[in-house]
Amino acid sequence: TQLLEQSPQFLSIQEGENLTVYCNSSSVFSSLQWYRQEPGEGPVLLVTVVTGGEVKKLKRLTFQFGDARKDSSLHITAAQPGDTGLYLCAGSRGGFQKLVFGTGTRLLVSP
Amino acid sequence: GAVVSQHPSRVICKSGTSVKIECRSLDFQATTMFWYRQFPKQSLMLMATSNEGSKATYEQGVEKDKFLINHASLTLSTLTVTSAHPEDSSFYICSASPLTGSNTEAFFGQGTRLTVV
C-alpha cells in the first residue's frame, strides 16, 4: 500500500515555466523529505520539513509542509533543464531514516 | 555529506543463482541500514531494516528466506538474493545514517541494478 500519493505523475514543461508537485497522505508524519533521483542513481535529499505549516526555500525551490503534517508541496520557479528528474517525497514517523516514499513525479524540462 | 557506497553497481546473474549486494558506510558508523527496491518507473519500496548484530526486520510481503540480510559490522550490510528469478530484476538501494541522534538524515547508496536472465 502506497501511503503517499504524488501528483502529477508526469510533467513535461518548457524552460522558464513554474510548476507545483503535490504529496498527499491520509496519515500524519513526523517529518517529510523531498528527494530528486537521476536515472541509475540513488535519491539525493533536497530538504526535510518537520513542523506543520513550515516553508523552506532552496534557491528556486519552495517546499511546504501542511499544517496537519499529512501533505506537502514542492514549487519550482522558472524551471531549468537541469531540474529534470524524478522527484520523490518521503515521510517518516520517527527519526529521519525509515522512510515511506511517495509514488513519484517525473519532471521533464525542455530547453 | 556522508557517503554510502554499494557494490556492485550492476550485476547480471542466471536464474537459480544467488547474488550478494554490499552496502558500506564509508565515513561513518551505522547500527541501522535500510534496503529498498525500485522497479522501473516506480518509486522506492522499503524491503527491510538491517540491524547490526541482530536479525533484520522485513516489511510485509518480503520473503526473508529469499532476501538474506547480514549486518555484521557497523559499516557493512549485505543483501543476498537467493535463487534469483527474472521477476527479482530490479534496482536495489540501501540507506544508512550516522549513529549520533535519531534525527539525522539517511544517506543513500548509488543503487545496484540486478538483472536476472
Side-chain angles (χ1 to χ4, degrees):
Chain A
T1 302
Q2 197 77 46
L3 298 179
L4 284 164
E5 294 287 337
Q6 287 183 235
S7 62
Q9 287 184 305
F10 181 74
L11 193 55
S12 179
I13 61 173
Q14 294 295 120
E15 183 176 3
E17 293 185 36
N18 302 331
L19 66 117
T20 301
V21 177
Y22 299 94
C23 172
N24 294 298
S25 173
S26 58
S27 303
V28 176
F29 291 96
S30 58
S31 67
L32 197 136
Q33 301 178 350
W34 283 92
Y35 292 83
R36 185 170 75 196
Q37 185 183 22
E38 305 286 344
E41 298 181 11
V44 175
L45 181 66
L46 297 174
V47 78
T48 299
V49 285
V50 296
T51 306
E54 182 177 5
V55 176
K56 280 192 175 179
K57 290 192 174 185
L58 184 67
K59 295 183 181 179
R60 294 176 294 102
L61 278 60
T62 302
F63 305 86
Q64 183 164 10
F65 200 10
D67 291 340
R69 289 186 288 129
K70 293 181 179 182
D71 54 81
S72 181
S73 64
L74 157 60
H75 182 78
I76 301 179
T77 303
Q80 298 176 359
D83 296 326
T84 293
L86 177 66
Y87 288 82
L88 296 160
C89 64
S92 66
R93 295 196 176 91
F96 291 163
Q97 300 94 16
K98 185 175 181 179
L99 300 171
V100 174
F101 277 86
T103 48
T105 295
R106 200 166 295 277
L107 173 65
L108 174 62
V109 183
S110 302
Chain B
V3 178
V4 174
S5 178
Q6 283 183 239
H7 179 80
S9 57
R10 289 177 176 270
V11 59
I12 300 173
C13 71
K14 292 184 177 180
S15 281
T17 62
S18 296
V19 61
K20 181 185 288 187
I21 302 170
E22 295 184 346
C23 177
R24 291 181 185 274
S25 55
L26 297 186
D27 50 1
F28 65 95
Q29 294 181 323
T31 54
T32 305
M33 294 184 177
F34 299 91
W35 287 96
Y36 296 84
R37 181 167 53 185
Q38 184 176 32
F39 290 108
K41 300 192 185 302
Q42 293 187 25
S43 187
L44 282 73
M45 295 295 290
L46 180 65
M47 297 176 66
T49 303
S50 174
N51 304 299
E52 188 267 335
S54 64
K55 291 182 179 180
T57 306
Y58 290 82
E59 296 299 303
Q60 192 172 7
V62 178
E63 299 176 59
K64 61 179 180 169
D65 294 330
K66 181 169 182 61
F67 298 99
L68 300 179
I69 291 173
N70 184 275
H71 194 152
S73 78
L74 288 171
T75 59
L76 174 64
S77 174
T78 60
L79 168 68
T80 301
V81 183
T82 63
S83 186
H85 290 145
E87 56 264 33
D88 298 324
S89 298
S90 187
F91 194 52
Y92 292 86
I93 309 174
C94 70
S95 73
S97 297
L99 282 174
T100 54
S102 62
N103 284 344
T104 54
E105 68 173 276
F107 296 93
F108 285 82
Q110 76 273 33
T112 297
R113 172 78 58 195
L114 169 64
T115 303
V116 184
V117 297

